[in-house]
Amino acid sequence: MARKKIIAGNWKMNMTPSEAVTLIETLKPLVQNDEVDVVFCVPSIDIIPAVEATKGTNIVIGAQNMHYEEKGAFTGETSARMLVDAGVKYVIIGHSERREYFAVTDQTVNKSVLKAFEHGLIPIVCCGESLMQREQGITIGWVCQQIKIAFQNVPADQAKKAIIAYEPIWAIGTGKVATAEQAQEVCQALRHCISEIYDDATAEAIRIQYGGSVSADNAAELFAEPDIDGGLVGGASLKPDFGRIVNYNK
Ligand code: 13P
């Protein structure tokens, strides 16, 4: 069965709760496309108004981060149970910005993936290489290692439902998009890595997004690649342009 495309906006640290509702009202009519799953990953404080504002629409709300412990003395953190109770369905785990600034590691990514599944959340598991790693020619080995650790002890029936986001760090927020060929090469390698960890059926089912300077101008070319099942979009998800990205096939 063909994989359904999934296009997610990662709002990062943008939009106050009231701005979030205004943006959702603007984007609602623009992001209708039955052939695509549409997710808005909003800041924690925007989750509740965003869930309310998207009721009855095709937009599903995701979180950008989650703590791997069940509950307790973790000041400032958000648990899986809190996200589920608020109406969240997806959660980004291991974004490169969290790895760089907030001490997220492959090991804590794995703990968070396990905790997300335990509570029925779908993790969007991020991986990606730096410019130096790409220049050294170690990209594929690096991202496959990130994914192997992220999926440790995750059973195949859960892994099938996960989303992997391949986000080359050098392409994030830089306007320097990977070429469709570069993105396809890595997404194909990631699928191969999943088939080695699990089996071909799991690899065929799992959805792999590309992220890094996705725009209305390059989305169609990227999403036409056989192993790219959609995108994780930063800057362009905050603008009406996001409607054109979601409707890349129209
Ligand atoms: P940009 O689309 O702004 O490059 O951000 C990509 C990203 O980090 C999405 O998670």
Side-chain angles (χ1 to χ4, degrees):
M1 211 180 82
R3 293 180 294 272
K4 191 175 183 188
K5 293 273 196 263
I6 175 160
I7 300 178
N10 174 8
W11 289 12
K12 307 194 180 184
M13 196 173 73
N14 294 291
M15 301 293 145
T16 66
S18 54
E19 288 167 353
V21 172
T22 305
L23 179 60
I24 288 168
E25 293 306 327
T26 305
L27 291 178
K28 253 187 213 176
L30 307 177
V31 296
Q32 291 173 15
N33 184 349
D34 291 344
E35 292 159 55
V36 173
D37 286 332
V38 180
V39 184
F40 288 4
C41 297
V42 304
S44 300
I45 198 163
D46 297 349
I47 287 171
I48 289 175
V51 166
E52 188 61 34
T54 51
K55 272 200 181 123
T57 75
N58 62 323
I59 304 163
V60 174
I61 296 302
Q64 298 174 10
N65 180 46
M66 185 199 95
H67 199 275
Y68 50 83
E69 291 292 348
E70 186 63 26
K71 63 175 185 174
F74 301 99
T75 303
E77 289 294 320
T78 308
S79 73
R81 277 187 68 228
M82 293 171 191
L83 296 180
V84 170
D85 190 58
V88 165
K89 305 285 181 220
Y90 293 86
V91 56
I92 300 175
I93 293 180
H95 191 280
S96 60
E97 288 151 16
R98 295 215 58 92
R99 292 178 191 258
E100 185 176 353
Y101 308 126
F102 301 99
V104 165
T105 65
D106 289 338
Q107 285 67 33
T108 63
V109 166
N110 177 234
K111 287 184 186 182
S112 299
V113 169
L114 292 166
K115 184 56 77 177
F117 274 126
E118 187 187 319
H119 288 274
L121 289 164
I122 304 291
I124 300 177
V125 185
C126 300
C127 62
E129 83 287 5
S130 66
L131 186 57
M132 197 195 283
Q133 288 169 325
R134 174 156 286 268
E135 285 169 354
Q136 289 169 343
I138 59 170
T139 296
I140 287 174
W142 175 260
V143 295
C144 287
Q145 181 66 10
Q146 287 182 314
I147 289 304
K148 267 190 194 140
I149 300 172
F151 283 84
Q152 264 168 10
N153 301 317
V154 176
D157 62 322
Q158 290 183 343
K160 261 184 196 150
K161 296 184 206 147
I163 314 292
I164 293 175
Y166 166 55
E167 299 206 309
I169 296 168
W170 49 270
I172 295 178
T174 57
K176 253 191 246 164
V177 65
T179 64
E181 293 72 29
Q182 285 173 324
Q184 163 61 21
E185 183 194 18
V186 180
C187 291
Q188 184 179 39
L190 285 166
R191 202 176 298 289
H192 184 70
C193 166
I194 292 293
S195 81
E196 281 185 343
I197 304 172
Y198 298 100
D199 46 41
D200 287 350
T202 308
E204 278 307 305
I206 203 164
R207 291 186 288 179
I208 305 179
Q209 297 174 317
Y210 167 79
S213 299
V214 173
S215 71
D217 294 331
N218 59 35
E221 195 188 347
L222 287 161
F223 302 164
E225 294 292 340
D227 288 294
I228 302 180
D229 305 312
L232 185 55
V233 185
S237 71
L238 299 166
K239 301 186 282 194
D241 261 18
F242 193 59
R244 286 174 57 209
I245 296 175
V246 169
N247 287 287
Y248 72 98
N249 59 343
K250 301 285 165 72

